[in-house]
Amino acid sequence: MSPRYLAALSLLACALVAPPPARAAGEGAPTDYLESYCFDCHDGERKKGNLDLTALHANFLDADSFARWVKVYDRVAAGEMPPKKKERPPEAATAGLQQWLKDALLKAEQAHIDPANRTTLRRMTRGEYENTVRDLLDLSGIMLQAGLPADGVAHGFDTNSDALEISHVNMAKYLEAADRALDMAIATQPVAPTVQKERMTLMDTYLAGYIGLQNGECVLLKDLKPDPNFHIADSDQTQKFDSRKCDHNSSVGIFRHEDESFLPQFGQTAILYPGRYRIRTSLWSFGWDKGQVLPARGTEAARLSAIQLRENGRGANDGSRTLGYYDAPSLAPRVHDFETWLNYKEIIGLNVASLAPITNYNRKDRAMGFTGPGIANDWLEIEGPLNDIWPPESHRRLFGELAPAEFNPKEHPETHPPLRPPLKQEIIGARNRVDRVAGIWTVQSAEPLNDARRLLASFLPRAFRHPVEPEVLDAYVAQAEERLKAGDCFELAMRYAFRAALCSTDFLYHVEPAGKLDEYALASRLSYFFWNSMPDDTLTQLAAAGKLHEPENLRVQTERLLKDAKAQRFVEDFTGQWLRLRELSKNDPDKKLYPEFSPYLQDCLRNETIAYFRALVERDLDAGHLVRSEFGMLNEKLGQFYDIPGIQGSAIREVALPPGCPRGPFLTQGAILKVTANGTTTSPVVRGAFVMARLLGQPPEPPPPNTPAVEPDVRGAKTIREQLDKHRNNATCAACHARIDPPGFALESFDVIGGRRDRYRAIGEDTDTEFAPRPDNVDPAIRIRFKLAQPVDASGNMADGRKFTGIADYQALLASEKSLLLRNLAQQFAIYATGREISFGDRLAIAELAASAEKKGGGIRTLLHGLVESTLFQQR
């Protein structure tokens, strides 16, 4: 008997929880299996895949050993081990090993996992906190996330309890956030602020009348003073240009500034009252030829942003938030009209998003010497703040029908010293408004303790998402009473109680009972899954009636939540984490290699992925659409980038793809291809690992220690395949690369920003490279400085031996794995929704969930319904 056999046998025999190794009929014990089929590669000398089975303890209670044995189980179950080229063991022997491992792993897991408390107590994420405050207080646009510490990530998501620690820093920030929310929610005057409507132009901001061409210079179309009957020469026809129709005397025409972050601002008026505002603006596009206005090349797109003013009164472009992209048709003004929430000291900025940066502008001649496209803005109009009722709903959520009254510091002179006034004495920024109400106005009460109990009895159950015990209500009333006795006015005393509630464990944490979720916990888990926020009245009423858990009610409510506009929060948050969209702006592409990249393209790529996921859910499409599709969610910019003609405008919409087009699904979307690149080069390893982990649920092993990284070669001397050869030919690395590299090789058809390519781009003087011709989808204004290097080889072999010649073949192979794709998606949904990792014992439930959905057509919406109705979802 060999020493290796004795060592393995002793290790297996000492397992604390493993059952005696049952022998398969006619076969040896599992140690015989390991000796015969595994030790040749996985011993102390070879350690292929960084695994030494002779030294791997069979103590399944040890976390590291447990994890390694799980990987052994997975590789054997997938048929990957022993390798195809090695002697194949009898099926009965392999089944015996798998059953032995499965029993041992399940028994070990059950020994240290409490099935009634699988999800540990976890706090809300920053996003959940912001959304909950918005919905609780009816403050639909309040911005709180940026002021809170960043959340961690565990098992791919920030909703996991392992990633949501709390510290004194968190608590200090929560106090600040609560104060900010209460400042904005509580009315401080008896009448609504006067609704004002103001029309402004970019011309009013810049006295010189020049913006946006280069270094802050521009052209005002009014300076041209054209005749109303001025004729514009087009390539095929003569058109009459009516200056009055375009409000020409106040229009400002803008070319793309060399700095793409340049954001002309309508700076005449900053927002004083946070709230809802109506914005209207008139946009059109034109061609410019050294002073002559011509028809535009097509519909251009402008971006409107809300910009927070700094202390110096200037807008902080780096802190702006996008309100939307809006079409500017050729010479035909289009008025865009929408409502949005604006915060204190925000102004509106306009960016000519679809125009390419200008780097060859002749400064001497200013705009008169320039030829190229431009976007004109006639005017922008802001109307607001818009309040349907007063006091606003946010105030009523706290104080009911108690409206502000003029503050009297001696309201109760017989029992109190002069009262302390409320913290916020006037609406933010209202000092200079003509409609400012004199004096201090605050909520008052003739029966403060009775009103405090009544108001808190209404507020606390909504804030805590479950009924409140009498002693809890008493404690909060006591806080208000203490402040009243200390001399606070009624509003100030209540404010302390409300703030305490907004910083309490009941508010900040997802409080769930052990075992099966009760009705209120189920309502919360459902709403935070699909809305990233608290349950609404409908869910709460069903929970109070004890009927939410009924299958039909769960199905109806799931449908209602998914159809609601707030479901967009789930769509954006889930894709942002699962597909790493949050990292989309992490690496800026090299401008010499990828000059066609722009912030507008990046936003379009992000919106494509989000819209596509929403379409999959809404249409209940099967998991094969993750990797291959007959349609895409595109706009004009994406159509140009992907070489798909016939799309006009900035709006993302469903587009049927041409035959043979690989675009559409996540696998070939530019956003995914960009987050899996480093800004200069692509790596099949990185992209392959992404596909394995995020789409197939088979994350590869980390590389062995001291494995050298592949250095980017921007000179084009070597292809990435040549650089990877040293890894693939290493026996220790070969097994993992056989699984990782195929999807990565197939995706070599796409460059760093997701563009299709046949040859690599390079920078340098190598003789093997040549200057590239201008790609059809690159704006004529962009200077091409990169060269074309070696051809791309997107062929490869799957781990099981199947071959593919390019991305289309690989898509077909992967689309045939619908069961695998669906099972992984079920697992990703479960981790995100429950806030815990999927254990070895959960795998059967995940497999059953996916199998059930597949029997019903394999739709993703069907899968979501199945998860909500499962024990996996309804257990803590």
Side-chain angles (χ1 to χ4, degrees):
M1 186 176 292
S2 73
R4 288 188 299 169
Y5 182 91
L6 289 173
L9 183 60
S10 64
L11 289 171
L12 291 171
C14 75
L16 297 181
V17 297
R23 294 176 177 268
E27 301 297 334
T31 44
D32 296 325
Y33 187 101
L34 298 174
E35 168 74 12
S36 301
Y37 304 109
C38 303
F39 286 172
D40 284 347
C41 296
H42 302 289
D43 62 358
E45 298 176 6
R46 298 169 182 80
K47 294 184 181 179
K48 286 189 177 181
N50 198 29
L51 177 63
D52 177 8
L53 286 175
T54 64
L56 180 57
H57 291 278
N59 178 6
F60 295 100
L61 291 180
D62 176 75
D64 183 64
S65 294
F66 184 93
R68 286 183 171 271
W69 281 115
V70 169
K71 293 183 184 300
V72 171
Y73 176 88
D74 289 342
R75 300 296 292 277
V76 173
E80 298 175 6
M81 291 292 159
K84 302 293 185 183
K85 296 179 180 179
K86 297 289 184 179
E87 178 186 357
R88 302 303 297 166
E91 292 184 6
T94 301
L97 175 69
Q98 287 181 254
Q99 188 62 49
W100 176 82
L101 269 177
K102 182 178 180 180
D103 292 343
L105 292 168
L106 287 173
K107 188 173 181 180
E109 191 171 73
Q110 292 166 2
H112 74 273
I113 289 182
D114 181 358
N117 290 284
R118 292 285 312 284
T119 301
T120 57
L121 186 66
R122 64 185 181 96
R123 65 170 172 82
M124 288 191 283
T125 66
R126 293 191 305 166
E128 289 174 338
Y129 179 90
E130 181 178 85
N131 289 331
T132 301
V133 171
R134 288 179 172 184
D135 293 346
L136 176 67
L137 298 178
D138 193 46
L139 299 171
S140 61
I142 189 171
M143 310 291 285
L144 298 173
Q145 285 196 60
L148 300 175
D151 301 318
V153 175
H155 311 293
F157 297 99
D158 63 11
T159 55
N160 193 281
S161 56
D162 294 339
L164 297 170
E165 299 176 350
I166 197 164
S167 66
H168 68 282
V169 177
N170 293 85
M171 290 310 304
K173 294 300 183 181
Y174 283 131
L175 286 168
E176 292 177 9
D179 278 332
R180 185 177 178 186
L182 293 171
D183 280 346
M184 198 175 292
I186 300 172
T188 57
Q189 63 184 50
V191 295
T194 303
V195 176
Q196 296 194 350
K197 181 187 293 187
E198 185 166 358
R199 178 173 288 200
M200 57 196 82
T201 71
L202 289 170
M203 178 177 58
D204 298 330
T205 305
Y206 296 88
L207 297 178
Y210 289 92
I211 57 173
L213 192 56
Q214 190 177 42
N215 299 323
E217 298 174 338
C218 80
V219 57
L220 280 177
L221 298 189
K222 75 162 193 173
D223 292 342
L224 300 180
K225 298 180 181 179
D227 184 89
N229 297 318
F230 177 67
H231 286 72
I232 298 174
D234 198 357
S235 57
D236 299 321
Q237 57 183 339
T238 298
Q239 299 180 2
K240 182 178 290 187
F241 179 70
D242 187 347
S243 62
R244 292 167 297 181
K245 181 179 179 183
C246 292
D247 200 5
H248 194 70
N249 290 329
S250 63
S251 300
V252 175
I254 312 170
F255 307 125
R256 162 65 71 194
H257 190 281
E258 187 173 7
D259 177 7
E260 292 180 335
S261 66
F262 178 62
L263 201 61
Q265 300 166 7
F266 297 90
Q268 299 95 316
T269 301
I271 296 302
L272 299 179
Y273 295 93
R276 286 188 301 114
Y277 286 79
R278 184 184 184 191
I279 295 179
R280 301 175 68 244
T281 192
S282 176
L283 296 166
W284 50 283
S285 58
F286 61 95
W288 181 263
D289 185 14
K290 299 178 181 179
Q292 187 178 17
V293 177
L294 302 174
R297 59 187 179 179
T299 299
E300 302 289 355
R303 183 182 78 235
L304 290 181
S305 299
I307 308 168
Q308 185 67 51
L309 285 180
R310 293 193 179 107
E311 292 300 322
N312 61 9
R314 302 187 66 180
N317 291 355
D318 55 350
S320 65
R321 57 188 180 91
T322 298
L323 299 178
Y325 288 93
Y326 302 94
D327 290 346
S330 175
L331 301 182
R334 177 172 297 175
V335 175
H336 300 276
D337 188 331
F338 61 96
E339 286 190 9
T340 189
W341 180 283
L342 295 175
N343 291 299
Y344 174 56
K345 276 194 173 181
E346 283 187 331
I347 59 175
I348 304 301
L350 182 144
N351 181 278
V352 284
S354 62
L355 305 185
I358 303 302
T359 58
N360 59 351
Y361 169 55
N362 185 339
R363 295 188 61 189
K364 181 179 179 181
D365 293 334
R366 294 182 178 268
M368 299 305 292
F370 172 71
T371 298
I375 294 177
N377 175 261
D378 297 326
W379 46 263
L380 181 132
E381 188 176 88
I382 300 180
E383 180 182 5
L386 306 177
N387 290 287
D388 299 326
I389 56 174
W390 195 265
E393 180 62 25
S394 61
H395 180 97
R396 295 166 189 261
R397 298 277 176 93
L398 296 168
F399 291 104
E401 299 303 318
L402 295 179
E406 190 165 9
F407 176 64
N408 179 7
K410 296 184 178 181
E411 180 183 1
H412 302 291
E414 69 284 357
T415 56
H416 291 289
L419 296 176
R420 281 191 287 270
L423 289 179
K424 191 177 69 168
Q425 299 181 17
E426 59 183 20
I427 290 181
I428 297 173
R431 186 176 295 107
N432 299 319
R433 288 288 292 252
V434 295
D435 62 342
R436 178 190 174 208
V437 179
I440 298 174
W441 296 76
T442 182
V443 178
Q444 300 180 23
S445 169
E447 299 179 320
L449 288 181
N450 288 338
D451 280 335
R453 180 172 295 278
R454 175 177 60 84
L455 295 173
L456 287 167
S458 172
F459 177 79
L460 294 178
R462 287 187 288 109
F464 296 165
R465 287 92 67 188
H466 59 74
V468 173
E469 298 294 332
E471 56 269 23
V472 175
L473 175 60
D474 291 343
Y476 281 94
V477 174
Q479 289 189 47
E481 183 179 15
E482 182 180 353
R483 300 305 308 182
L484 288 167
K485 290 179 178 179
D488 288 350
C489 69
F490 178 73
E491 179 187 311
L492 188 55
M494 290 299 297
R495 183 190 178 97
Y496 276 101
F498 289 136
R499 185 176 70 165
L502 294 176
C503 296
S504 70
T505 301
D506 285 288
F507 179 76
L508 295 177
Y509 281 78
H510 296 284
V511 180
E512 298 173 339
K516 184 177 176 62
L517 299 181
D518 63 27
E519 293 281 319
Y520 292 98
L522 180 58
S524 285
R525 182 168 284 188
L526 190 63
S527 65
Y528 279 96
F529 185 16
F530 294 126
W531 285 355
N532 277 42
S533 186
M534 60 183 290
D536 65 355
D537 289 343
T538 301
L539 287 176
T540 302
Q541 290 165 7
L542 282 169
K547 296 181 178 181
L548 180 58
H549 72 283
E550 297 174 2
E552 182 57 30
N553 285 334
L554 269 180
R555 174 163 289 278
V556 170
Q557 292 308 306
T558 298
E559 279 296 302
R560 183 177 69 87
L561 267 61
L562 284 172
K563 291 177 180 178
D564 192 277
K566 287 189 285 189
Q568 187 68 13
R569 298 170 180 172
F570 159 64
V571 172
E572 294 182 6
D573 193 53
F574 181 75
T575 54
Q577 298 189 71
W578 172 45
L579 298 174
R580 292 172 45 196
L581 285 190
R582 292 180 176 181
E583 303 173 28
L584 187 57
S585 59
K586 187 175 181 180
N587 293 316
D588 288 332
D590 185 281
K591 290 187 177 181
K592 290 183 179 179
L593 284 171
Y594 301 98
E596 70 268 41
F597 183 77
S598 67
Y600 178 43
L601 175 60
Q602 180 166 277
D603 282 354
C604 291
L605 295 176
R606 177 188 289 107
N607 293 338
E608 173 195 12
T609 300
I610 292 170
Y612 186 77
F613 179 74
R614 176 128 201 171
L616 297 187
V617 174
E618 288 180 344
R619 293 174 53 184
D620 198 20
L621 297 175
D622 64 59
H625 283 81
L626 302 182
V627 296
R628 189 170 66 169
S629 180
E630 70 283 357
F631 74 94
M633 301 300 293
L634 309 173
N635 64 1
E636 183 171 359
K637 181 67 175 179
L638 291 171
Q640 294 169 352
F641 184 60
Y642 292 155
D643 290 320
I644 300 173
I647 310 171
Q648 189 176 65
S650 59
I652 299 285
R653 82 296 302 265
E654 182 177 322
V655 175
L657 297 175
C661 179
R663 299 294 186 174
F666 297 129
L667 185 68
T668 56
Q669 288 175 6
I672 308 305
L673 296 163
K674 183 176 183 295
V675 299
T676 53
N678 65 9
T680 56
T681 60
T682 58
S683 169
V685 176
V686 175
R687 283 181 170 171
F690 179 93
V691 172
M692 296 298 296
R694 305 287 169 152
L695 297 182
L696 298 176
Q698 300 173 340
E701 286 289 303
N706 303 318
T707 301
V710 177
E711 294 297 327
D713 178 18
V714 298
R715 297 177 65 87
K718 293 183 178 180
T719 67
I720 189 65
R721 281 179 179 259
E722 292 171 332
Q723 293 173 284
L724 282 174
D725 276 347
K726 59 183 178 181
H727 294 287
R728 295 177 58 82
N729 293 331
N730 185 319
T732 304
C733 304
C736 286
H737 276 277
R739 301 170 63 239
I740 298 172
D741 290 351
F745 285 150
L747 293 177
E748 281 297 281
S749 297
F750 307 99
D751 61 28
V752 163
I753 59 175
R756 192 72 183 266
R757 65 184 176 189
D758 298 314
R759 295 175 66 180
Y760 293 100
R761 294 184 182 184
I763 301 173
E765 304 301 328
D766 296 85
T767 56
D768 292 337
T769 60
E770 60 188 62
F771 280 104
R774 178 175 302 281
D776 293 337
N777 59 0
V778 176
D779 193 290
I782 295 176
R783 179 184 175 190
I784 302 299
R785 290 180 286 179
F786 61 84
K787 297 181 179 181
L788 292 180
Q790 300 186 50
V792 171
D793 181 1
S795 65
N797 297 329
M798 303 287 280
D800 59 10
R802 291 177 294 171
K803 298 180 182 295
F804 58 89
T805 59
I807 184 61
D809 286 349
Y810 182 76
Q811 284 181 291
L813 293 174
L814 209 56
S816 66
E817 303 284 355
K818 289 183 181 180
S819 297
L820 186 61
L821 294 164
L822 191 63
R823 187 161 62 248
N824 170 64
L825 195 54
Q827 178 168 304
Q828 301 293 337
F829 283 148
I831 296 172
Y832 178 83
T834 64
R836 63 173 184 261
E837 66 174 316
I838 297 300
S839 70
F840 185 81
D842 289 330
R843 291 180 171 197
L844 179 59
I846 292 292
E848 290 176 346
L849 178 62
S852 175
E854 196 163 15
K855 288 180 180 177
K856 299 174 183 177
I860 293 174
R861 197 182 191 92
T862 298
L863 181 66
L864 289 170
H865 275 289
L867 175 61
V868 168
E869 296 166 10
S870 71
T871 302
L872 194 66
F873 183 85
Q874 297 184 31
Q875 287 274 4
R876 175 173 172 181

